Amino acid sequence: MKPIYLDNNATTAVAPEVLEAMLPFLRERYGNPSSIHAFGGDVARDVERARERLAALLGAESPTEIVFTSCGTESDNTAILSALEAYPDRRQFITTRVEHPAVLSLAHHLERKGYEVVRVGVDRDGLLDLVELRAALSPRTAIVSAMWANNETGVVFPVEELARMAHEAGALFHTDAVQAVGKIPIDLRRSAIDMLSLSGHKLHAPKGIGALYVRRGTKFRPFLIGGHQERNRRGGTENVPGIVALGAAAELALRHIQEEQTAVRALRDRLENGILERIPDVIVNGHRERRLPNTSNVSFEFVEGEAILLLLDQAGICASSGSACTSGSLEPSHVLRAMGVPFTFAHGSIRFSLSRYNTAEEIDRVLAELPPIIARLREISPFSRAHPVPDCAATCPTGCRGPKSCTPPAPPEDPDPPRRRFGPQHRRR
Amino acid sequence: MAWNYSEKLKDHFLHPRNVGVLEDADGKGEVGSVACGDALTFYLKTDPQTGRITKATFQTFGCGSAIASASALTEMVIGKTVEEALRITNQDIADYLDGIPQEKMHCSVMGREALEAAVAAMRGEKRAADTHEEGKIVCHCFGVTDRKIERAIRENNLTTVEQVTNYTKAGGGCGTCQAEIEEILNRVLEERRREAPPRPAAAGGARMTQLRKIALIQETIEHEVRPVLQKDGGDIELIDVEGDTVRVSLVGHCAGCMAAGFTTGWIQDKLRELVSDRLTIVIEPPGAAEAQR
């Protein structure tokens, strides 16, 4: 049976039209776009057409602002390292605590190489602390990199405002828009963003193709040094089938962008509201308005995420979790921890991420399968509303008083308290 | 299915045995915490006549392998005397489930701890780990003591920090205690080596003659191991090869080096990689070569 795929922030299905568009370039049209002969040169025209299509999706001034890369990670690395190299006197890099590892791991690496790194925090809703960011900006700041939309919660950052703040300090602004492109309208002509990363496989193109938007006039230093490809901004023979596929996917995305705001959002809300109605002791992680239309991150109290995922998988439903057991480390998601989500909820978090290929029938099947799964795991769990999770210090077998295990980091002072929605008002008791 | 679980483990997760609260339990053990990502409550009931465990139930907050480990443990202890049950190691639990993924071994450790806690409660004792009087917290992220780390190393023959993390979670959070774990590991490995009697020779490799094997071992030590040790002012001497047991002694700096435990592990890895994965290395005290001659 075809699985119900609700893990589109991890990767997406290649659209049939996209596959059709790329196939000739895996078969007969294998020429190298750099060749002099027509067999290769013609391929170069297809590469340029794809560039135009992607530029159109982003609302870029010119297709020459697009540099094709191999993935989102390469785009992120290229943008940040380029800024640091282009402005050697500025030794500070500012980012956020909730970035993708493509940026956070690089930040760690840069720190060890002697750069000053600032990671700006978020509040309980996952919204960025702009006061902290403003305080961190200085004449030493080379670049600010903040994601457009968070991959785990879907929370959207005010990137235009962030770009303006960065510019006031004379710094560049880069955004990892891997989760945003194709899901929310983007118009870079009317934007202050200097560089933007995206990845093909998050918008129905295949894996192995990404792009970096570099605003015309932005000082740029290549990351991959080699041939003259991509106007000397990225060495290496072009991934022609991938580029053509990304162009086709961009065209499709532009055509469907309103559908994301309406149909996909409606399905997401049907799922989320359905869960909140049917299952007690659930919270929604992340600001409910300022987020992507396709993402819902919910936490089920008293149960653990991996166990939920495995039982969902048994039922043919694909999702993901921020629990420790699935995060690749022993601690739950760094995003939920940065938001100060209590451990009881962080370990039981599930992310559902939809695409325009999902149907109402699929959502209804999930709503039928999920409540018994949660009920079953809650039966196994020693905790329940009647037996709430005791104070950590009292139950810890080793009497641990660890600062990290017992008290999640306090969220920073909220400049706008009424905005804080996380907490009891979102819990159904 | 993509999960890295054995069929038996999956079965225990999908159909856990003996779930629930045991109202008339003689002992109840609670270990783990939600903060740490898994928690287990284990209940025991014994027959006062025979001293055998008649009922065991559990409740788990945790992932698939945590649920399966607890389920397996209930099956394993029912019918056993308390003393027999206490001899169950975390490796026994893993074996019962046809293996647990390395990074989930802490689930089996938690099972064993819960059983011990339940027995202690039944006997009216206070477990050392409960009172936390003995041992000092090494990993503050997960509240793991040096005693727990040491026990996991000894019982499971752990040789790397990563393994210690897999079995106890220690070092798996912020990672700042990894150096301390390494020290404990080095100390225990050193002690173990002194305690360990010489191992009996294992059966020889099927496809390799003993002669060829010895030649390869000599070659590996000569070209791969010695140059590295000499860089640090140490050296290695091959004493003998018995079956798959390679006896060597470390000389110079290596002999008293703090990292000797690691060096040993590294040499063994090299030999297994380049000669045969059945090889076991035994370190003899310096001068053993002379004594044998």
Side-chain angles (χ1 to χ4, degrees):
Chain A
M1 196 179 58
K2 191 169 147 264
I4 297 177
Y5 189 76
L6 300 181
D7 202 10
N8 286 278
N9 287 9
T11 195
T12 59
V14 174
E17 299 91 328
V18 170
L19 181 64
E20 280 308 310
M22 74 186 288
L23 278 180
F25 299 89
L26 290 166
R27 291 187 179 132
E28 62 274 16
R29 301 195 60 200
Y30 54 83
N32 186 328
S34 299
S35 298
I36 295 294
H37 45 71
F39 182 67
D42 284 352
V43 169
R45 274 202 287 279
D46 292 279
V47 168
E48 291 320 304
R49 209 152 70 96
R51 201 184 304 278
E52 285 161 18
R53 287 170 159 182
L54 185 55
L57 175 65
L58 300 178
E61 189 83 45
S62 159
T64 58
E65 294 175 317
I66 306 290
V67 179
F68 288 113
T69 65
S70 65
C71 58
T73 299
E74 186 194 325
S75 300
D76 288 337
N77 274 251
T78 303
I80 294 161
L81 293 171
S82 165
L84 293 172
E85 206 181 319
Y87 296 94
D89 297 339
R90 292 170 173 258
R91 303 277 298 169
Q92 187 203 44
F93 168 49
I94 299 180
T95 186
T96 82
R97 285 176 59 191
V98 297
E99 294 299 304
H100 188 273
V103 172
L104 279 185
S105 301
L106 178 65
H108 185 64
H109 175 77
L110 289 170
E111 218 162 28
R112 277 182 308 188
K113 292 189 95 174
Y115 288 94
E116 181 193 343
V117 175
V118 177
R119 298 168 185 83
V120 180
V122 296
D123 69 8
R124 280 228 149 168
D125 283 333
L127 301 177
L128 196 64
D129 185 342
L130 300 185
V131 175
E132 190 185 344
L133 172 62
R134 192 173 293 283
L137 281 162
S138 78
R140 299 189 312 282
T141 314
I143 183 167
V144 177
S145 179
M147 63 207 321
W148 195 312
N150 188 274
N151 49 312
E152 294 189 25
T153 60
V155 168
V156 169
F157 282 162
V159 282
E160 290 307 329
E161 198 178 340
L162 304 182
R164 280 195 300 274
M165 287 167 72
H167 290 173
E168 279 165 27
L172 292 179
F173 180 75
H174 163 257
T175 182
D176 176 340
V178 163
Q179 295 294 347
V181 174
K183 292 177 191 146
I184 49 180
I186 291 177
D187 188 5
L188 289 172
R189 255 171 309 228
R190 275 182 274 281
S191 165
I193 293 165
D194 298 300
M195 290 186 275
L196 174 148
S197 298
L198 65 98
S199 172
H201 75 103
K202 309 285 193 194
L203 61 146
H204 304 290
K207 295 148 191 77
I209 183 69
L212 176 66
Y213 161 88
V214 184
R215 179 176 298 282
R216 195 185 275 169
T218 305
K219 266 202 199 178
F220 184 82
R221 300 286 180 273
F223 176 55
L224 277 193
I225 295 166
H228 58 86
Q229 293 90 350
E230 299 297 291
R231 300 160 64 96
N232 291 312
R233 289 173 300 181
R234 201 264 188 186
T237 299
E238 297 88 342
N239 170 5
V240 176
I243 289 171
V244 170
L246 180 52
E251 197 187 54
L252 276 176
L254 188 57
R255 213 187 302 156
H256 291 285
I257 197 90
Q258 277 318 309
E259 197 182 325
E260 296 280 338
Q261 303 304 315
T262 52
V264 175
R265 182 188 297 272
L267 285 182
R268 191 271 315 267
D269 292 344
R270 183 189 185 113
L271 175 68
E272 191 170 275
N273 294 332
I275 290 171
L276 292 170
E277 278 162 23
R278 286 168 178 76
I279 304 175
D281 306 315
V282 177
I283 59 166
V284 175
N285 297 312
H287 195 283
R288 290 190 76 176
E289 278 80 46
R290 297 187 208 174
R291 65 176 164 160
L292 294 174
N294 81 317
T295 307
S296 174
N297 188 314
V298 287
S299 283
F300 301 92
E301 202 176 4
F302 314 127
V303 291
E304 194 275 338
E306 190 215 65
I308 303 172
L309 285 189
L310 295 178
L311 292 179
L312 281 173
D313 192 37
Q314 281 286 107
I317 298 164
C318 308
S320 58
S321 168
S323 89
C325 280
T326 60
S327 68
S329 75
L330 288 165
E331 293 194 322
S333 138
H334 69 285
V335 177
L336 300 183
R337 275 187 291 144
M339 289 162 64
V341 174
F343 281 96
T344 42
F345 284 102
H347 285 292
S349 76
I350 299 289
R351 177 190 70 187
F352 297 101
S353 48
L354 285 63
S355 81
R356 58 176 187 268
Y357 294 104
N358 289 120
T359 64
E361 291 69 43
E362 289 180 324
I363 298 305
D364 291 344
R365 247 207 57 215
V366 176
L367 289 176
E369 298 276 1
L370 189 58
I373 286 175
I374 301 300
R376 179 172 162 187
L377 289 172
R378 282 183 176 165
E379 240 166 73
I380 300 176
S381 172
F383 309 119
S384 64
R385 217 183 288 182
H387 296 96
V389 176
D391 174 32
C392 171
T395 55
C396 218
T398 52
C400 100
R401 300 286 184 274
K404 287 185 70 182
S405 51
C406 297
T407 35
E413 268 314 297
D414 193 338
D416 177 16
R419 206 175 51 188
R420 188 172 288 176
R421 311 175 58 88
F422 191 95
Q425 66 268 42
H426 274 197
R427 293 165 67 156
R428 286 180 49 87
R429 287 278 182 186
Chain B
M1 222 176 286
W3 357 327
N4 190 16
Y5 288 152
S6 72
E7 286 305 317
K8 187 142 185 210
L9 195 156
K10 271 187 221 174
D11 181 51
H12 272 270
F13 165 57
L14 295 173
H15 312 286
R17 285 46 149 185
N18 307 309
V19 174
V21 178
L22 193 57
E23 296 296 351
D24 57 345
D26 300 325
K28 172 185 175 188
E30 289 173 283
V31 295
S33 81
V34 167
C36 299
D38 38 28
L40 168 59
T41 309
F42 201 80
Y43 298 89
L44 281 180
K45 173 129 192 85
T46 51
D47 180 337
Q49 304 290 306
T50 61
R52 288 189 185 272
I53 296 168
T54 52
K55 283 187 200 161
T57 68
F58 79 96
Q59 289 183 306
T60 294
F61 168 93
C63 61
S65 54
I67 291 171
S69 295
S71 166
L73 185 60
T74 60
E75 280 194 343
M76 292 169 78
V77 299
I78 292 173
K80 283 195 171 66
T81 66
V82 171
E83 283 66 33
E84 286 166 351
L86 283 177
R87 280 198 290 273
I88 294 172
T89 65
N90 65 284
Q91 190 58 49
D92 293 334
I93 300 173
D95 291 345
Y96 189 83
L97 291 169
D98 295 337
I100 293 181
Q102 275 301 305
E103 67 277 12
K104 296 287 183 90
M105 282 305 286
H106 57 83
C107 295
S108 66
V109 173
M110 186 171 72
R112 210 259 334 268
E113 286 178 344
L115 169 67
E116 287 173 1
V119 170
M122 193 172 80
R123 292 173 170 170
E125 296 165 0
K126 266 200 144 190
R127 257 188 350 139
D130 276 333
T131 56
H132 186 42
E133 276 155 8
E134 291 176 81
K136 106 178 205 292
I137 298 265
V138 173
C139 170
H140 286 275
C141 293
F142 294 108
V144 187
T145 62
D146 54 354
R147 294 182 72 89
K148 177 168 172 175
I149 292 170
E150 194 171 327
R151 183 171 175 188
I153 295 170
R154 287 184 184 279
E155 290 187 353
N156 298 285
N157 297 320
L158 308 183
T159 54
T160 67
V161 175
E162 192 188 343
Q163 284 177 325
V164 172
T165 305
N166 286 338
Y167 279 70
T168 66
K169 293 192 176 189
C174 64
T176 48
C177 63
Q178 282 171 359
E180 207 174 328
I181 295 172
E182 199 172 318
E183 273 175 36
I184 297 172
L185 195 56
N186 282 336
R187 176 169 55 75
V188 175
L189 287 177
E190 183 69 27
E191 285 168 16
R192 281 178 66 89
R193 211 171 37 251
R194 284 202 216 102
E195 295 157 9
R199 299 189 193 191
R207 284 167 311 211
M208 201 188 289
T209 64
Q210 192 68 13
L211 210 60
R212 170 92 185 114
K213 195 191 301 173
I214 292 171
L216 272 177
I217 290 169
Q218 280 176 322
E219 207 173 291
T220 304
I221 287 180
E222 191 57 40
H223 297 294
E224 300 285 334
V225 177
R226 177 163 292 139
V228 176
L229 298 185
Q230 285 178 339
K231 233 183 276 172
D232 289 333
D235 206 347
I236 182 170
E237 199 169 352
L238 177 63
I239 297 168
D240 204 355
V241 180
E242 299 163 13
D244 283 322
T245 304
V246 183
R247 299 185 182 283
V248 298
S249 70
L250 297 175
V251 282
H253 275 194
C254 293
C257 172
M258 271 297 288
F262 275 134
T263 311
T264 314
W266 172 77
I267 298 168
Q268 180 164 293
D269 287 347
K270 270 278 165 219
L271 288 172
R272 285 183 176 179
E273 179 192 336
L274 297 170
V275 185
S276 157
D277 55 14
R278 300 182 196 190
L279 294 182
T280 307
I281 194 158
V282 173
I283 306 286
E284 304 274 329
E290 269 68 31
Q292 286 209 345
R293 270 174 208 145

